[in-house]
Amino acid sequence: PSLPGASGAMDLAYVCEWEKKPKSNHCPSIPLVCAWSCRNLIAFTTDLKNEEEKDLTHMVHIIDTEHPWDVYSVNSGHTEVITCLEWDQSGSRLLSADADGHIKCWSMTDHLANSWENTVGSMVEGDPVVALSWLHNGVKLALHVEKSGASNFGEKFSRVKFSPSLTLFGGKPMEGWIAVTISGLVTVSLLKPNGQVLTSTESLCRLRCRVALADVAFTGGGNIVVATSDGSSTSPVQFYKVCVSVVNEKCKIDTEILPSLFMRCTTDPARKDKYPAITHLKFLARDMSEQVLLCASNQNSSIVECWSLRKEGLPVNNIFQQISPVVGDKQPMILKWRILSATNDLDRVSAVALPKLPISLTNTDLKVANDTKFFPGLGLALAFHDGSVHIVHRLSLQMMAVFYGSSSQRPVDEQTIKRQRTAGPLVHFKAMQLSWTSLALAGIDSHGKLSMLRISPSMGHVLDMNMSLRHLLFLLEYCMVTGYDWWDILLHVQPNMVQNLVEKLHEEYMRQNAALQQVLSTRIVAMKASLCKLSSSTIARVCDYHAKLFLIAISCTLKSLLRPHFLNTPDKSPGDRLTEICSKITDIDIDKVMINLKTEEFVLEMTTLQSLQQLIQWVGDFVLYLLASLPNQGSPVRPGHSFLRDGASLGMFRELMVVIRIWGLLKPSCLPVYTATSDTQDSMSLLFRLLTKLWLCCREENHITEPDDTLIDECCLLPSQLLIPNIDWLPINDGIISKLQNKQLVRLQFGKAPGLVGHTVSSQFDAFVRAPGQPKIDHLRRLHLGAYPTEECKSCTRCGCVTMLKSPNKVTAVKQWEQRWIKNCLCGGLWRRMPLSYS
């Protein structure tokens, strides 16, 4: 069928391939597997073939989609080919299983996305694993497209009642995994909080038979459903219910047989023996055990069917109606598999990718999705041996979009098809995964090359700007609520959308209740920062948003160091009382504000105060920089501009100035250092006075006044009174996303960072960033690292912020500061270890 936007719906964003080495090369393993986590890390396998020793090393590779060339490759230690890879729900641990029955659990070393280690595992000796899954943690959301205009996030993304596979005492979900082996065994491993692993293995049914394909899904009641097939389409596809429990510190497994099914193509007389093998068997979603996708194939072609499990009434013969005692008029119910849809004959399917977006499938939601052309989560991807990819509707299996690979140009006539068939195998995807919002698709082809495809949310239908923005906004909000990474949404943001998206995102955020706003407060700032990177007109605001994240974190840390003088103090903490007094007393004299505070709450040890000097210096420098830039506020291109109208941030700076002033009385050497032209000048109180005046102009968000001329005149004098510092802004990110905007295919190589060509946005930005060879800085500890750092550093995959791996400081207060960003960067991005020569 010809589709309106079918071919415009998908395009290649980038490809990344292996360097050809003479002695060893990455050959695709059979089977090849890949997995995509909610934090946008992709794991995939290849076999490293060494020509000399003729042996294979089974490798696992992990990349983050923003820096695909920075691949972390690890020798998995699996002796046989890797058959499964599975990320957990938080995207921080990875399971791998092989054809020898070994299962390994990988986790990050030191929270670094490019450093992984295998800590625990389990095994069923010599029995290849065919299916693997983490146990369900009971968290399930539903996206209601129908409610995408609702103001409350709780209505758009509702929690679905769903029981975890297994709970610990107190209802906490227990972590662990379940696997199915080729000989018909099911094995479950539970991770106890103390790090111990409880493993138990049971056969799926009394009559054990070969399992060529299997899949695992979960029911809302906390049970597990396993589907199996022996690979032949003449045999039934069997289903089993698995219950896991812990009895006397041992893991116990109970299984029960569920109704089975025969594929329809085997009972259809026209196709009776046409498709002898079942090649793919998948539940449509991990938490939808009542829908299953099946694919049967021969050498050259395939057919795909979608089945669903329904409750049906059992007809009872009239003879029995008279004599059976009436137990109400209900007829007995039975569970039965019914076919929902099937495709026509297709080219041979090489891989299947299912959507992970938990879109609600009620009739109204489906209708609204269709009317507004919002299709993420409704399509599943099929890859074919001729190199093409189709996206088909998950319920009707009707075609929604097509991508023609390099080798699969539309065949002209029968002859070319015949010639193609004999010409030898074509390059095609052997493994595919959809991203968590379904806006991107990753495929690994028969050469181990990674391709990243963009999938339009409307499947290529042309929409007006407003509707396109609404689609992207809906998915950005979903990522904000779940905490998932939103890189795949950024693939679709054009420079002219940025300003609108940021404003609308802020509006939606302001409509939420105060508690939710507080939970999401840093996430939305990080989201705005990554959006602003994509347009040259908003690039300077990226600096502001990152500075704001830094300010929020410093403010929380410094306030948390204040201790109440008496332990049985009233309800407010010293930090809250500080905020209250600073906003109530609008005096421009710092000492008058200070008098109202209980100074004894601010007493800290001298070493603590000294260790905070770098952070205090940043606050002092930033306030001076902002005030000095007030006179030329007409240029929003300069970083810092948005702070001049941001009452909340200025209020935070004002509170911190008061705290610093009090600490300076205890230990003068912790004060920020200013280079002043006169010796007698009290720089802190001068800056506090000007800052308060500016804060008073914009403390009420809906009533912002312009700063008066006297304030601007005073700020004009600042450069003649104090030396205005250079602010070390974050570097503009070296990631791939901004290079993909012009829709040109980017070719990359694993292990080689690309040259920064063709990026117009960064050139304007170079004015604010240090050039190579200049001293580097630790952005979070505010320490200078020198021009050629000798310390190992880590950088954030999302904002590019750099900090040392090991802490140079032993003071508790500094430890408290470092704990804020030990796992993730302040913007929520993942850390990656940097090569030592990063200058």
Side-chain angles (χ1 to χ4, degrees):
S2 66
L3 299 155
S7 43
M10 300 166 78
D11 65 298
L12 262 179
Y14 63 72
V15 293
C16 201
E17 44 199 328
W18 297 98
E19 197 182 352
K20 296 268 182 290
K21 292 205 178 121
K23 286 279 179 271
S24 62
N25 67 358
H26 287 272
C27 59
S29 44
I30 320 273
L32 182 83
V33 277
C34 83
W36 191 324
S37 83
C38 62
R39 308 187 69 178
N40 283 327
L41 293 177
I42 295 178
F44 64 101
T45 58
T46 60
D47 295 342
L48 194 58
K49 194 157 73 177
N50 201 325
E51 293 294 317
E52 289 165 4
E53 294 139 37
K54 289 276 186 285
D55 62 343
L56 286 182
T57 316
H58 303 291
M59 305 292 289
V60 170
H61 310 284
I62 296 174
I63 61 158
D64 78 277
T65 52
E66 175 70 330
H67 307 88
W69 58 89
D70 183 20
V71 60
Y72 176 73
S73 302
V74 58
N75 176 353
S76 65
H78 284 295
T79 48
E80 291 291 329
V81 64
I82 299 170
T83 55
C84 305
L85 283 177
E86 283 291 325
W87 289 101
D88 69 344
Q89 275 108 322
S90 68
S92 48
R93 281 176 312 183
L94 179 71
L95 287 177
S96 62
D98 67 13
D100 195 28
H102 288 253
I103 299 172
K104 298 186 174 199
C105 174
W106 303 83
S107 50
M108 287 189 221
T109 337
D110 301 331
H111 309 291
L112 295 168
N114 55 358
S115 181
W116 294 77
E117 58 189 351
N118 164 227
T119 39
V120 291
S122 64
M123 60 187 244
V124 187
E125 192 62 59
D127 199 351
V129 175
V130 290
L132 174 69
S133 174
W134 288 90
L135 295 178
H136 204 287
N137 61 4
V139 177
K140 183 178 176 191
L141 282 181
L143 270 87
H144 301 282
V145 186
E146 178 200 0
K147 304 249 172 68
S148 65
S151 57
N152 180 349
F153 285 168
E155 286 179 42
K156 296 182 194 185
F157 317 111
S158 62
R159 271 296 286 266
V160 179
K161 206 166 162 351
F162 207 88
S163 303
S165 311
L166 195 60
T167 50
L168 289 158
F169 182 70
K172 189 173 186 256
M174 190 154 189
E175 299 189 303
W177 56 82
I178 174 170
V180 181
T181 70
I182 207 161
S183 72
L185 294 176
V186 57
T187 173
V188 174
S189 298
L190 304 176
L191 292 174
K192 289 181 67 180
N194 61 9
Q196 232 183 320
V197 181
L198 298 178
T199 299
S200 163
T201 305
E202 202 54 66
S203 71
L204 270 170
C205 62
R206 291 210 190 96
L207 274 171
R208 266 171 71 189
C209 53
R210 175 185 145 86
V211 174
L213 302 166
D215 199 21
V216 180
F218 302 90
T219 67
N223 292 321
I224 302 166
V225 180
V226 173
T228 66
S229 156
D230 65 3
S232 160
S233 61
T234 53
S235 313
V237 178
Q238 304 275 8
F239 294 85
Y240 305 93
K241 184 164 103 181
V242 178
C243 288
V244 183
S245 51
V246 176
V247 183
N248 306 333
E249 288 296 291
K250 285 210 167 55
C251 173
K252 181 169 176 290
I253 302 174
D254 294 299
T255 63
E256 180 187 320
I257 296 182
L258 293 172
S260 57
L261 67 88
F262 281 96
M263 282 191 71
R264 192 177 71 182
C265 61
T266 56
T267 52
D268 168 9
R271 296 193 173 100
K272 193 157 187 277
D273 304 315
K274 190 170 176 189
Y275 299 107
I278 295 184
T279 49
H280 297 87
L281 159 63
K282 298 259 186 225
F283 286 106
L284 270 167
R286 299 190 34 183
D287 36 30
M288 280 184 65
S289 53
E290 62 284 347
Q291 280 199 1
V292 65
L293 186 82
L294 297 161
C295 172
S297 308
N298 57 31
Q299 288 299 311
N300 304 321
S301 55
S302 296
I303 190 163
V304 176
E305 297 179 2
C306 178
W307 288 72
S308 113
L309 189 62
R310 310 252 176 97
K311 269 197 172 127
E312 295 185 0
L314 197 62
V316 178
N317 193 304
N318 290 340
I319 301 175
F320 300 108
Q321 302 257 323
Q322 274 80 42
I323 49 179
S324 65
V326 179
V327 192
D329 292 330
K330 279 205 172 152
Q331 59 183 134
M333 298 301 274
I334 182 174
L335 282 174
K336 199 162 182 191
W337 285 100
R338 286 274 178 213
I339 189 160
L340 268 185
S341 51
T343 62
N344 295 325
D345 301 345
L346 306 164
D347 202 85
R348 186 164 165 200
V349 172
S350 62
V352 177
L354 296 172
K356 302 179 182 68
L357 192 71
I359 199 138
S360 160
L361 295 172
T362 62
N363 289 337
T364 40
D365 281 312
L366 286 171
K367 185 180 180 323
V368 173
N370 200 31
D371 292 346
T372 56
K373 304 283 176 263
F374 178 82
F375 298 122
L378 288 176
L380 56 96
L382 303 172
F384 297 98
H385 274 258
D386 68 355
S388 65
V389 177
H390 291 184
I391 292 187
V392 298
H393 196 286
R394 61 192 279 180
L395 300 174
S396 66
L397 296 182
Q398 282 177 335
M399 177 115 87
M400 296 166 84
V402 200
F403 169 75
Y404 295 101
S406 50
S407 51
S408 68
Q409 290 318 319
R410 302 163 193 213
V412 191
D413 55 34
E414 293 295 305
Q415 286 303 304
T416 41
I417 299 182
K418 284 188 178 129
R419 274 207 299 279
Q420 270 185 341
R421 287 268 154 76
T422 51
L426 298 162
V427 177
H428 56 265
F429 291 143
K430 308 202 63 162
M432 273 194 315
Q433 282 268 309
L434 281 163
S435 75
W436 282 63
T437 62
S438 284
L439 293 187
L441 176 77
I444 314 287
D445 71 14
S446 31
H447 294 200
K449 177 171 82 176
L450 176 113
S451 302
M452 179 65 68
L453 294 159
R454 229 189 239 104
I455 303 176
S456 125
S458 65
M459 291 295 168
H461 288 273
V462 182
L463 301 178
D464 61 352
M465 188 58 145
N466 218 354
M467 196 51 101
S468 309
L469 287 174
R470 241 182 70 185
H471 289 349
L472 295 179
L473 189 68
F474 189 47
L475 292 169
L476 282 169
E477 289 165 356
Y478 168 69
C479 289
M480 188 154 65
V481 170
T482 51
Y484 295 161
D485 187 70
W486 54 86
W487 178 89
D488 36 332
I489 305 175
L490 299 180
L491 277 177
H492 297 268
V493 176
Q494 289 303 312
N496 59 346
M497 299 179 174
V498 171
Q499 185 75 33
N500 264 334
L501 270 177
V502 171
E503 283 168 18
K504 288 199 160 85
L505 197 63
H506 184 75
E507 275 170 36
E508 290 296 323
Y509 167 79
M510 294 312 286
R511 290 162 78 177
Q512 309 310 310
N513 61 31
L516 185 57
Q517 281 193 26
Q518 197 172 353
V519 173
L520 303 177
S521 59
T522 52
R523 218 174 267 166
I524 184 171
V525 178
M527 208 170 246
K528 289 175 181 173
S530 58
L531 285 167
C532 285
K533 254 184 216 154
L534 301 176
S535 158
S536 51
S537 57
T538 51
I539 196 90
R541 275 161 55 191
V542 179
C543 301
D544 294 14
Y545 289 128
H546 289 147
K548 186 162 181 174
L549 286 170
F550 194 67
L551 167 66
I552 294 170
I554 284 188
S555 166
C556 292
T557 305
L558 297 189
K559 280 185 187 168
S560 69
L561 295 173
L562 309 179
R563 292 279 166 267
H565 191 51
F566 304 108
L567 283 178
N568 54 356
T569 47
D571 48 353
K572 286 208 165 93
S573 68
D576 292 343
R577 206 163 36 255
L578 167 76
T579 306
E580 193 183 25
I581 285 171
C582 284
S583 63
K584 203 163 63 188
I585 295 169
T586 58
D587 207 296
I588 55 173
D589 183 352
I590 192 164
D591 297 325
K592 286 192 182 150
V593 179
M594 212 166 77
I595 289 167
N596 292 283
L597 291 162
K598 300 197 176 101
T599 14
E600 58 270 22
E601 291 179 343
F602 291 76
V603 178
L604 295 181
E605 291 165 21
M606 296 301 156
T607 48
T608 305
L609 290 177
Q610 192 53 55
S611 68
L612 294 170
Q613 204 277 328
Q614 273 85 15
L615 300 183
I616 289 173
Q617 182 70 44
W618 180 84
V619 173
D621 281 352
F622 204 88
V623 169
L624 173 53
Y625 171 85
L626 282 184
L627 291 167
S629 67
L630 180 65
N632 61 4
Q633 57 178 333
S635 68
V637 175
R638 288 176 58 117
H641 174 80
S642 64
F643 277 98
L644 302 176
R645 293 275 177 282
D646 180 355
S649 300
L650 295 175
M652 270 189 222
F653 276 123
R654 193 167 168 267
E655 287 165 30
L656 292 177
M657 294 289 272
V658 175
V659 176
I660 293 167
R661 177 73 161 196
I662 299 174
W663 283 347
L665 299 175
L666 301 169
K667 185 165 181 64
S669 66
C670 82
L671 284 172
V673 180
Y674 292 111
T675 316
T677 43
S678 112
D679 299 343
T680 52
Q681 174 180 293
D682 181 351
S683 307
M684 287 255 343
S685 66
L686 166 71
L687 290 175
F688 185 83
R689 194 178 82 233
L690 300 175
L691 177 66
T692 304
K693 284 185 177 174
L694 181 59
W695 168 70
L696 289 172
C697 293
C698 56
R699 57 190 290 217
E700 285 161 27
E701 200 174 325
N702 24 13
H703 185 70
I704 293 179
T705 56
E706 285 300 308
D708 57 5
D709 291 349
T710 46
L711 173 58
I712 290 181
D713 291 345
E714 285 186 87
C715 289
C716 283
L717 291 173
L718 277 175
S720 59
Q721 293 163 306
L722 295 165
L723 182 70
I724 309 299
N726 263 332
I727 299 290
D728 280 291
W729 302 104
L730 282 189
I732 186 71
N733 190 333
D734 57 342
I736 191 81
I737 196 82
S738 44
K739 301 185 198 59
L740 300 175
Q741 281 189 312
N742 53 8
K743 299 274 175 111
Q744 295 293 315
L745 168 65
V746 177
R747 292 185 179 282
L748 303 163
Q749 208 175 48
F750 288 118
K752 278 197 182 152
L756 293 174
V757 278
H759 187 34
T760 46
V761 177
S762 58
S763 53
Q764 305 184 339
F765 199 81
D766 293 339
F768 318 128
V769 185
R770 298 185 164 215
Q774 274 189 325
K776 298 283 182 293
I777 186 163
D778 179 325
H779 293 112
L780 296 179
R781 296 191 180 89
R782 308 311 300 180
L783 296 171
H784 292 273
L785 302 173
Y788 299 99
T790 50
E791 283 296 310
E792 262 212 296
C793 289
K794 56 185 182 182
S795 79
C796 167
T797 51
R798 195 183 278 165
C799 70
C801 143
V802 174
T803 185
M804 284 183 283
L805 263 179
K806 294 188 182 57
S807 169
N809 233 315
K810 296 284 171 282
V811 187
T812 346
V814 178
K815 285 254 160 56
Q816 208 171 325
W817 168 239
E818 289 171 357
Q819 277 306 311
R820 281 192 169 274
W821 36 264
I822 187 110
K823 283 189 175 167
N824 298 336
C825 173
L826 293 176
C827 73
L830 290 162
W831 291 117
R832 57 186 190 131
R833 185 193 297 268
M834 298 180 79
L836 249 180
S837 60
Y838 86 94
S839 54

